[in-house]
Amino acid sequence: MKKLICAVLSVLLAVACFGCKSRRPSTTVSDDYEVNLHPDTSVTATLRVATNNSTAELKIIDDIGALLKKKYPNVTVKAEPFSQNISQQYSSWFNAGDMPDVLINNTFDMFTLSDKGILLNLDPYFQAEAADPQSDFNVNDYYDSYMKMGQEKFDGAQYMIPRSADRVVCHYNKAIFKAAGVDMSLVRNGWTWQDFFTVCETLRNWYDENNKSDYYLIDPYFTWEAVYNPIFESFGVQYFDENGDVTLDQGDAAENALKFIYSMIDKRYAAPISVEQAGMQANKGCILFHSQASSLIASKLQPYYRDQDVDEFYDVVTMPVFDGNEKIGCGAAGYSVYSGSENRDLAWQFLKVLLSKDGQNVMADSGSNYVPVRKDMADYTDPTNHWGRGFENCNMSAFTYNCGADGQPDWNCYTTFIAQQKPKQATNISGAIESLISSYCNGQGSTYDSVMSSCVNAIKRYIKM
């Protein structure tokens, strides 16, 4: 736990780093602050919520505000949209002494900000809710892996509340799969990479036989940590040892993982990383590895299949796994509370509304059918769970398959190495690994020693910063 003096020192450091004089009073709090789980329902206040500058995000804030207003009629929720990098925006506001109360966030930016005294440790609220017999909040209602992704080093202070279950899945063009004669019994939740390669071989042959030899199959996002990290971990890659020393280059695990990734390029399933990808959403390729909501992907394909129902041209399945070492990439976006907020008790009520069933349905009704982080909303065919609306005949369970609920195993694999060494350098360290993958694959797999050396040296430089 950070002490109050650390928060103050962090403020001074932030001022020095961002080159402007802070006008913000020293209002950050220690980790043992008092909480009030039952604010006066007649209280008058404006709760400022920082969010991305998009129509869907602004609708979410407005609708959550309307739900909060049912209990607190004199509380106004005001969205404050921005378009630049999260860490940069919050540091700018922080130094200017003009921070909103609630802050949209993600795991990587949370790590960057966690030592700057900007984010409130929410553990006192968790503890108070657990001790309150009137509480309607139970941390066990939510997928454990996503809650952990809002914690310092994944097992420490809770700095962020996840808003949805963002898991990488395999979106695919069902119409093309059927036209190619794919064995659809292989395309099931829990399928293996061997199954996947069999399917890709069928698809590759069909493309080549139908004057589409210059098309690729997959939009793979190989350089995205949510895609490459589960592959790396499945091959036994260890990024750091217990002392924090870089071990990425030790043994042959990383090279084997890179060879596996490159094999999909070599077989012409995926395009070389340096060129345009397959274009699944443009009805060219037929597979996409991503955590985007189905509504967003299907809407891009719909113009090509105007007279067809969505389940005739689109579906989704889990990411392929290695049998016996099943790992599927996931991430977390959510909301944090500013440590100096004078409305922190109301900010906690805002977060609780977001995590309620009504709040999770608001997320789904925003225009993107985000997957709820609540375990009791996994059934997408239940009409009271809005995230499945319009996709009842699709395999939406791919998003929640083996997520650790109801005795299931938890295959969710989040990028824990970013917490092992210099969390505030998480983005830069991940960027070095992205460059490793790009350089290796663009070099036709013949430059492993040189690209690995460059990667390790870059990570060591970031550690020293």
Side-chain angles (χ1 to χ4, degrees):
M1 292 285 184
K2 298 191 299 292
K3 303 299 182 182
L4 177 59
I5 189 170
C6 293
V8 175
L9 289 173
S10 296
V11 173
L12 296 176
L13 178 61
V15 173
C17 290
F18 291 91
C20 58
K21 184 177 180 181
S22 174
R23 299 190 298 274
R24 189 189 65 78
S26 182
T27 55
T28 52
V29 299
S30 63
D31 290 347
D32 58 353
Y33 59 88
E34 294 184 2
V35 307
N36 177 9
L37 296 181
H38 306 285
D40 186 346
T41 55
S42 64
V43 64
T44 298
T46 297
L47 194 66
R48 299 167 59 199
V49 181
T51 190
N52 296 332
N53 188 18
S54 72
T55 301
E57 295 295 342
L58 293 172
K59 182 178 185 335
I60 289 169
I61 300 304
D62 287 346
D63 290 351
I64 295 293
L67 291 175
L68 185 67
K69 216 169 184 59
K70 292 180 180 180
K71 185 173 183 179
Y72 299 99
N74 299 320
V75 172
T76 299
V77 172
K78 179 185 177 184
E80 301 207 358
F82 63 93
S83 56
Q84 68 171 314
N85 174 274
I86 285 177
S87 296
Q88 292 176 348
Q89 180 64 71
Y90 293 169
S91 294
S92 175
W93 276 337
F94 184 76
N95 291 330
D98 190 32
M99 287 291 290
D101 302 288
V102 180
L103 312 168
I104 197 168
N105 214 341
N106 60 62
T107 301
F108 275 74
D109 283 300
M110 180 197 72
F111 277 119
T112 301
L113 295 165
S114 62
D115 67 344
K116 298 185 183 301
I118 293 177
L119 307 180
L120 184 69
N121 176 6
L122 297 171
D123 284 349
Y125 284 103
F126 278 66
Q127 294 160 4
E129 293 283 0
D132 183 0
Q134 301 179 39
S135 175
D136 56 357
F137 175 84
N138 186 341
V139 70
N140 295 318
D141 290 340
Y142 312 99
Y143 297 113
D144 182 63
S145 52
Y146 296 102
M147 277 293 177
K148 283 186 177 295
M149 281 184 277
Q151 297 170 3
E152 182 183 36
K153 295 189 176 181
F154 301 119
D155 61 1
Q158 191 83 41
Y159 283 127
M160 181 183 74
I161 294 294
R163 65 178 192 171
S164 55
D166 298 332
R167 188 190 216 189
V168 181
V169 292
C170 182
H171 303 271
Y172 66 94
N173 186 316
K174 196 173 186 178
I176 292 179
F177 271 46
K178 289 186 175 180
V182 165
D183 180 356
M184 297 304 292
S185 69
L186 297 176
V187 187
R188 65 196 187 284
N189 290 340
W191 63 334
T192 65
W193 282 106
Q194 182 177 354
D195 297 330
F196 177 78
F197 273 62
T198 298
V199 167
C200 284
E201 183 178 5
T202 299
L203 290 165
R204 182 69 272 168
N205 289 336
W206 181 81
Y207 271 71
D208 291 346
E209 292 166 1
N210 286 273
N211 299 317
K212 297 181 179 182
S213 58
D214 56 338
Y215 284 19
Y216 295 97
L217 311 179
I218 316 168
D219 294 305
Y221 289 85
F222 285 141
T223 59
W224 179 26
E225 50 82 24
V227 172
Y228 74 71
N229 181 59
I231 294 174
F232 273 37
E233 288 197 21
S234 293
F235 274 93
V237 170
Q238 292 186 336
Y239 301 89
F240 303 97
D241 63 17
E242 63 275 7
N243 298 319
D245 295 326
V246 182
T247 55
L248 183 62
D249 57 342
Q250 296 184 13
D252 57 5
E255 185 173 12
N256 289 337
L258 289 169
K259 287 179 178 178
F260 176 79
I261 290 172
Y262 178 71
S263 71
M264 286 181 261
I265 297 173
D266 188 46
K267 294 175 184 292
R268 295 190 300 123
Y269 300 161
I273 291 176
S274 59
V275 304
E276 184 179 358
Q277 298 299 288
M280 182 266 194
Q281 296 178 73
N283 201 41
K284 296 172 67 178
C286 55
I287 299 170
L288 167 66
F289 297 161
H290 216 284
S291 61
Q292 282 191 349
S294 289
S295 55
L296 297 177
I297 308 301
S299 66
K300 296 291 181 63
L301 282 176
Q302 184 72 68
Y304 301 99
Y305 302 92
R306 293 186 181 277
D307 299 325
Q308 298 184 38
D309 293 333
V310 64
D311 59 290
E312 295 181 64
F313 62 84
Y314 167 83
D315 212 337
V316 63
V317 67
T318 58
M319 276 292 289
V321 295
F322 292 97
D323 191 21
N325 198 10
E326 296 87 355
K327 295 178 183 293
I328 295 177
C330 62
Y335 287 89
S336 300
V337 177
Y338 167 47
S339 60
S341 171
E342 296 181 357
N343 296 314
R344 65 173 182 253
D345 292 327
L346 290 173
W348 174 247
Q349 296 300 318
F350 177 92
L351 295 180
K352 285 179 62 178
V353 171
L354 181 69
L355 289 174
S356 70
K357 184 162 184 172
D358 286 342
Q360 294 284 280
N361 277 334
V362 158
M363 296 282 296
D365 295 339
S366 68
S368 302
N369 60 332
Y370 294 109
V371 181
V373 74
R374 296 184 62 96
K375 296 176 184 176
D376 61 358
M377 295 181 71
D379 183 2
Y380 64 95
T381 64
D382 182 340
T384 67
N385 298 332
H386 297 183
W387 72 283
R389 287 182 175 175
F391 293 89
E392 292 86 354
N393 295 324
C394 293
N395 178 38
M396 300 296 284
S397 58
F399 288 96
T400 58
Y401 181 79
N402 284 353
C403 277
D406 301 324
Q408 296 176 349
D410 191 350
W411 289 1
N412 286 333
C413 176
Y414 44 94
T415 311
T416 55
F417 75 81
I418 63 176
Q420 291 178 271
Q421 177 61 270
K422 282 290 181 96
K424 66 181 180 181
Q425 292 292 337
T427 299
N428 286 331
I429 292 173
S430 183
I433 300 170
E434 293 170 16
S435 295
L436 166 69
I437 297 168
S438 295
S439 298
Y440 179 86
C441 291
N442 289 335
Q444 287 75 49
S446 62
T447 59
Y448 174 76
D449 289 339
S450 61
V451 297
M452 177 57 78
S453 177
S454 296
C455 175
V456 170
N457 288 336
I459 293 174
K460 288 179 177 178
R461 287 197 300 270
Y462 292 130
I463 290 174
K464 291 179 181 178
M465 290 182 178

